[in-house]
Amino acid sequence: MFKGVDFFPHGTKWDIVGKRRLFVGLSWVLALISIVLLMTKGLNYGVDFKGGALLEIQSTTGSLDISSLREKLNKLGFGDVQVQSAGTTGTDALIRVPQQADDKSQKAASEKIRAALGEGTKIQREEIVGPAISSELKRTAIIAVIASMFCIFAYVWFRFEWQFAVAAIVALIHDVFITIGLFSFLWLEFDLTVVAALLTLAGYSINDTIVVFDRIRENLRKYKKMPLIDLMNLAINETLSRTVLTSVVTGLAVLALYVFGTEVIHGFSLAMLFGIAIGTYSSIFVAASMLLAFGLKRDGWTGEKVAAGIASANKKG
């Protein structure tokens, strides 16, 4: 009979919680870098959030000369018009026109750019976002992210205990914040598709975290006398294969979207790809350590025993 192939070792006994200072410290470093980047560089907001116009064009006469096209459009006097190659054929490009004084001026700018492109160019897509709409979209995006975090917090608290809920939210904020920091570092366009990726990432990441937490809770009931540090390490190691393999398979699907997808979904794909990696890291190396930081207790354990268990883990680390 055919037996399945093991791609990840089973029966691991890694002391992950005991080495939490190293892993949580790395997370703090990445979080601080993200804070510095957001305070100094900020984000490269797309048309959705800062207003303006976006045109996706395709040449019907051959490859586009991006430099000449950029120079030609900037002479029209609409500000710094950005022209970026899209796809692999050399015939596609994205044109971003800065926000004009009002909606009427914005439409006029788009019409003049259309005329400047000539008959040999086909407009594949056009988006025009005014200042009022872009401000509303930004506000709505922030509300959506905060609301999703609150709902996840309420669900985890209802299903487990408050320590699990707080630890899960800290891990989620860690994932989302560092992913946003990556977009600031690489100066990639941050638009609504990226926000959608962050919300998807939050749901994916909490699923991995819940699997680990569920095993911790199960072990709390099963092993009444096992030290808390050892119990958490056991739970993480028992779910390690499932967590890693699930993330790898999902990551391969998202990688295919990034490599073979169009320019429109590159931001979404990259946010998901990096988010899956950082989310897997937090589920394995950060979430359980946060339970200790927030004073998780177990049946039959007193506060002194919990403190003793933490002190023992610190000596191992």
Side-chain angles (χ1 to χ4, degrees):
M1 182 178 291
F2 176 75
K3 294 183 179 180
V5 179
D6 284 337
F7 292 97
F8 195 86
H10 295 273
T12 56
K13 296 181 180 180
W14 297 348
D15 183 20
I16 293 173
V17 180
K19 300 292 190 298
R20 68 186 182 281
R21 287 182 176 178
L22 172 64
F23 301 126
V24 175
L26 177 59
S27 292
W28 273 110
V29 170
L30 293 175
L32 288 174
I33 292 174
S34 297
I35 291 173
V36 172
L37 286 170
L38 291 173
M39 292 179 64
T40 54
K41 291 184 65 176
L43 289 170
N44 180 21
Y45 289 113
V47 173
D48 295 333
F49 294 140
K50 67 181 181 182
L54 174 67
L55 291 87
E56 184 178 356
I57 65 171
Q58 183 181 62
S59 173
T60 58
T61 58
S63 299
L64 289 168
D65 187 340
I66 299 299
S67 299
S68 299
L69 182 59
R70 184 184 296 115
E71 183 179 352
K72 179 181 179 180
L73 296 181
N74 278 320
K75 289 180 179 179
L76 297 177
F78 298 124
D80 183 19
V81 178
Q82 299 178 15
V83 182
Q84 176 186 353
S85 179
T88 58
T89 61
T91 59
D92 301 308
L94 292 175
I95 300 174
R96 295 177 175 86
V97 185
Q99 181 178 304
Q100 304 300 304
D102 49 43
D103 291 344
K104 185 177 180 180
S105 301
Q106 194 74 60
K107 291 179 180 178
S110 295
E111 290 175 1
K112 288 185 179 180
I113 287 177
R114 279 172 171 268
L117 291 173
E119 296 181 355
T121 303
K122 180 181 178 182
I123 306 296
Q124 301 280 73
R125 177 171 63 102
E126 182 175 8
E127 297 176 8
I128 298 177
V129 180
I133 296 177
S134 63
S135 178
E136 177 67 18
L137 289 174
K138 187 183 294 186
R139 186 179 68 86
T140 304
I142 294 173
I143 292 175
V145 173
I146 294 175
S148 68
M149 294 291 182
F150 176 79
C151 291
I152 290 171
F153 176 81
Y155 166 74
V156 179
W157 193 346
F158 174 78
R159 184 176 173 184
F160 296 90
E161 297 178 15
W162 72 266
Q163 291 97 336
F164 288 88
V166 176
I169 288 301
V170 169
L172 277 184
I173 293 174
H174 163 276
D175 301 342
V176 172
F177 200 67
I178 293 177
T179 302
I180 293 175
L182 175 72
F183 273 75
S184 177
F185 176 71
L186 298 178
W187 201 240
L188 300 172
E189 185 173 309
F190 191 89
D191 54 19
L192 282 177
T193 61
V194 178
V195 175
L198 294 177
L199 294 175
T200 306
L201 166 64
Y204 179 87
S205 180
I206 195 63
N207 179 63
D208 274 349
T209 303
I210 288 296
V211 169
V212 177
F213 282 180
D214 200 45
R215 186 58 61 90
I216 290 174
R217 182 175 62 175
E218 180 182 328
N219 287 348
L220 283 170
R221 297 169 179 170
K222 187 176 180 180
Y223 304 104
K224 299 295 185 180
K225 296 183 179 181
M226 181 180 289
L228 196 57
I229 302 297
D230 296 338
L231 187 146
M232 288 184 173
N233 274 326
L234 177 63
I236 294 171
N237 280 280
E238 287 176 337
T239 57
L240 195 59
S241 176
R242 180 263 178 207
T243 300
V244 172
L245 291 179
T246 301
S247 298
V248 169
V249 172
T250 308
L252 289 175
V254 178
L255 180 62
L257 279 178
Y258 181 78
V259 174
F260 301 109
T262 63
E263 186 73 23
V264 178
I265 64 171
H266 272 185
F268 177 89
S269 303
L270 180 61
M272 281 296 299
L273 198 59
F274 180 79
I276 288 172
I278 199 71
T280 303
Y281 176 86
S282 69
S283 296
I284 296 172
F285 299 104
V286 177
S289 299
M290 290 298 101
L291 289 176
L292 288 177
F294 293 113
L296 175 68
K297 297 180 181 180
R298 55 168 299 164
D299 295 336
W301 276 61
T302 63
E304 289 77 17
K305 288 184 178 181
V306 173
I310 296 175
S312 175
N314 288 337
K315 289 181 180 179
K316 292 181 180 180

